[in-house]
Amino acid sequence: MIPLRPLAPADRDAVRRFLVARWGNATIVLDGRAIDAAALPGFIGQDEGGIAALATLLDEAGHSEIVTLDAVRPRAGLGTALVELAARRACALGLRALLTRTTNDNLDALRFYQRRGFRLHRLVAGAIDLEREADPAIPLLGRHGIPLRDEISLIRPLG
């Protein structure tokens, strides 16, 4: 498996380019706040082709949130390894939970996180509809032809 390590300041430009390529932007909107994911702490794995795995994390009162999680090679164990590193980091910081979010159409993410100890935490009905008002480029249909409308938060208690 590709070795994973904490993000370093020298990684920031490559992380920004990677996030723009994978997410369309390095700025992620969480609860109406624009978060520069390229500036966050996290973990990275690189191979000869560049970034192969990346997790960015936002620490808040009592929890750490996985803002972005990317494993370029699916089913290679990198996503799971990133989640476990994030959980260990949060525990070391004295945080009580690990959170993440996805959209209602992302059935793969819902399956992935629940298999790794996360539980459904919060549904924000219409969250993506509101984001679409600010960014009309957000599609109406998501994965599997499912209307893209809602945000789902998942939580994994720690310790």
Side-chain angles (χ1 to χ4, degrees):
M1 184 172 12
I2 293 169
L4 302 173
R5 62 173 174 77
L7 283 168
D11 297 320
R12 297 301 171 194
D13 289 339
V15 167
R16 186 171 307 285
R17 287 190 302 273
F18 180 82
L19 290 172
V20 168
R22 298 275 297 192
W23 292 74
N25 201 327
T27 301
I28 307 295
V29 178
L30 299 177
D31 298 327
R33 297 177 299 158
I35 306 293
D36 180 5
L40 296 174
F43 297 95
I44 189 170
Q46 295 174 292
D47 62 13
E48 63 284 344
I51 297 175
L54 176 69
T56 59
L57 308 166
L58 179 64
D59 301 324
E60 300 200 291
H63 71 269
S64 184
E65 180 163 350
I66 298 171
V67 176
T68 67
L69 181 77
D70 290 278
V72 174
R73 293 185 195 127
R75 295 170 191 64
L78 292 169
T80 298
L82 288 167
V83 167
E84 294 311 315
L85 283 170
R88 284 197 293 276
R89 178 184 173 278
C91 283
L93 292 173
L95 303 173
R96 298 180 309 275
L98 188 59
L99 274 74
T100 193
R101 304 170 196 224
T102 191
T103 51
N104 64 286
D105 68 315
N106 196 341
L107 305 179
D108 293 330
L110 289 166
R111 179 178 54 241
F112 173 84
Y113 286 114
Q114 289 180 82
R115 287 183 172 174
R116 283 146 190 90
F118 287 78
R119 297 183 59 154
L120 298 178
H121 178 62
R122 182 177 68 153
L123 168 69
V124 182
I128 308 306
D129 294 328
L130 290 173
E131 288 181 19
R132 190 177 296 109
E133 290 176 13
D135 182 0
I138 297 172
L140 292 170
L141 287 179
R143 293 172 177 91
H144 312 290
I146 297 171
L148 184 53
R149 299 181 181 134
D150 311 314
E151 178 183 87
I152 300 167
S153 294
L154 296 101
I155 189 168
R156 178 174 155 181
L158 301 172

